[in-house]
Amino acid sequence: MLRRTVRLILSIVMIAAAGVVGTIATAGTAQADSCYTFNRTLSEGMSGADVTQLQIRVAGHVTSGEILAVDGNFGPRTKAAVAKFQSAYGLASDGVAGPNTFSKIYSLQDADCTPIHFTYAELNKCNSTWSGGAVSAATAKENAKRTMWKLEAMRHALGDVSINISSGFRSTSCNSAVGGASNSQHLYGTAADLVGSPSFCRLAQQARTHGFGGILGPGYPGHNDHTHVDGRSSRYWSAPSCGI
């Protein structure tokens, strides 16, 4: 609540400041954001770092089994993901990311670029440095952020219900302590184990349409008490008790 209040105050201040200096938003821009500001309208055929940032935020809005490439190139699949994002939040779904789309993105993210309903602390209950895994600390943390954006899309699709995370990034020692596989996606920061409500099967079923390459749930060995999702590049789904 405090973070949302601070963001609201900052937004009011920025709007007021814009009025003082006579700033008028153009067709390609939206108000500034404390995390990341998009400075141009983005559409199919464009490329750049801003496209990459857009892809991270819409990667959870895809069709069943699809994994959106976060490559900085605005192709047909990115356009479709943007359109699904827009539709999910009641915007005109033309697949072109402009001020209205950016404003909705800004409302969904905190100053550290994580989505408002998830935090780095939730994705890392192992150590505060993000070190000791299979990739650099910076890469693990970035992977966790991308996982959170997919979970944000999934949370919204489930009716804006809370999704609880029991495990995210793990160092090698943390992974060994819980009996994790030696090649676990948790070592890369790409994975999250989901518990609580909705049911494990509901979580596993819903995850199919939010860009997760890995989904493991009830019926898969060691996964009757949670649903595992991860961002591996190839699809591996197994939750036999859930029909997956």
Side-chain angles (χ1 to χ4, degrees):
M1 180 63 72
L2 177 60
R3 291 191 298 181
R4 296 304 304 276
T5 300
V6 171
R7 285 179 60 78
L8 177 59
I9 293 172
L10 287 174
S11 296
I12 293 172
V13 170
M14 286 186 290
I15 292 171
V20 170
V21 300
T23 300
I24 300 175
T26 68
T29 63
Q31 69 181 46
D33 184 77
S34 56
C35 158
Y36 182 86
T37 299
F38 293 92
N39 292 311
R40 58 174 180 162
T41 293
L42 298 175
S43 59
E44 188 172 3
M46 300 177 74
S47 62
D50 48 1
V51 175
T52 298
Q53 292 299 320
L54 177 65
Q55 289 170 326
I56 290 169
R57 289 154 178 76
V58 302
H61 297 269
V62 292
T63 58
S64 182
E66 182 185 3
I67 302 170
L68 182 68
V70 179
D71 58 6
N73 296 309
F74 199 126
R77 298 316 309 156
T78 297
K79 179 179 180 179
V82 170
K84 287 197 68 174
F85 172 89
Q86 293 167 328
S87 178
Y89 289 101
L91 304 175
S93 55
D94 57 5
V96 175
N100 290 338
T101 301
F102 298 144
S103 290
K104 173 49 65 174
I105 288 174
Y106 297 158
S107 75
L108 292 172
Q109 67 187 14
D110 282 318
D112 63 357
C113 295
T114 61
I116 56 176
H117 295 108
F118 298 94
T119 66
Y120 282 121
E122 290 179 274
L123 268 290
N124 183 359
K125 300 178 181 181
C126 173
N127 64 56
S128 61
T129 65
W130 296 85
S131 61
V135 293
S136 71
T139 297
K141 191 172 183 179
E142 174 64 21
N143 288 341
K145 181 181 73 179
R146 297 184 183 194
T147 298
M148 283 186 268
W149 277 102
K150 293 178 183 180
L151 289 174
E152 183 70 28
M154 181 171 159
R155 183 188 190 279
H156 184 62
L158 286 167
D160 290 313
V161 299
S162 295
I163 293 179
N164 300 311
I165 300 167
S166 62
S167 182
F169 167 74
R170 300 175 192 157
S171 67
T172 301
S173 58
C174 287
N175 190 58
S176 297
V178 299
S182 60
N183 62 343
S184 172
Q185 291 293 309
H186 288 281
L187 296 166
Y188 297 84
T190 62
D193 290 346
L194 313 179
V195 295
S197 180
S199 70
F200 302 143
C201 279
R202 185 73 184 92
L203 290 167
Q205 291 160 350
Q206 187 65 50
R208 295 175 295 183
T209 58
H210 297 290
F212 292 108
I215 304 172
L216 304 173
Y220 185 82
H223 289 72
N224 287 326
D225 60 351
H226 69 279
T227 290
H228 166 101
V229 295
D230 67 56
R232 70 186 72 190
S233 58
S234 59
R235 194 172 87 178
Y236 186 80
W237 296 352
S238 183
S241 298
C242 309
I244 299 175

